[in-house]
Amino acid sequence: MNKQIHDEVLKIEEKGLTNVELLALVTDSSYEVVFYANYNGKTRQSNDLAEDGVLELDFVDGIYSSVANAVRADKKFDSEKMNIIKASGEDVSVEYDEKNCRVYGLKKKWKESLGL
């Protein structure tokens, strides 16, 4: 899984973005993926980059889907839990939380850890 996630980060960087930080929250029935990247000296969120036309919406959706599929296909995937994947450069970490955990709180804490 780490290589597949890293490959997705590289696809983002190939679009001229740097310092990509990605978070994926994946269960067996849902997923939420978001990333931040540096564009023209500013750190921007993935959906904002798509809305502003920096990235194509299909490209962003493809990244989200590919990341979720890589997580679910991995032997470490726990269908009973929230699988929390954080990618920064070549580093990819996996954590677990209760399936019904507060996604907003996880995203907020991660964003704060990035200094955003």
Side-chain angles (χ1 to χ4, degrees):
M1 170 180 64
N2 288 14
K3 180 176 176 357
Q4 291 132 314
I5 303 290
H6 182 63
D7 287 348
E8 296 303 314
V9 169
L10 291 177
K11 286 181 194 175
I12 298 165
E13 291 176 346
E14 287 169 5
K15 298 288 188 181
L17 303 170
T18 58
N19 299 329
V20 177
E21 300 282 348
L22 182 141
L23 174 70
L25 306 172
V26 184
T27 68
D28 57 346
S29 60
S30 68
Y31 66 87
E32 187 165 350
V33 180
V34 65
F35 63 85
Y36 285 86
N38 193 296
Y39 175 71
N40 284 346
K42 291 185 178 167
T43 300
R44 307 275 311 278
Q45 202 249 23
S46 47
N47 294 333
D48 292 340
L49 290 165
E51 285 176 19
D52 291 349
V54 175
L55 297 174
E56 292 181 16
L57 189 55
D58 287 348
F59 172 80
V60 173
D61 286 344
I63 295 285
Y64 294 171
S65 178
S66 294
V67 167
N69 289 336
V71 172
R72 288 181 180 142
D74 193 78
K75 63 181 181 284
K76 293 182 197 164
F77 176 71
D78 186 341
S79 62
E80 301 296 315
K81 300 276 186 189
M82 173 68 71
N83 296 253
I84 305 163
I85 290 69
K86 298 174 185 173
S88 177
E90 292 186 24
D91 298 329
V92 178
S93 67
V94 181
E95 300 169 22
Y96 304 94
D97 203 334
E98 295 307 311
K99 199 178 221 180
N100 61 354
C101 66
R102 294 182 50 148
V103 171
Y104 175 78
L106 290 172
K107 288 170 39 182
K108 184 177 178 190
K109 186 174 168 188
W110 172 73
K111 187 177 175 183
E112 287 171 355
S113 76
L114 301 178
L116 301 173

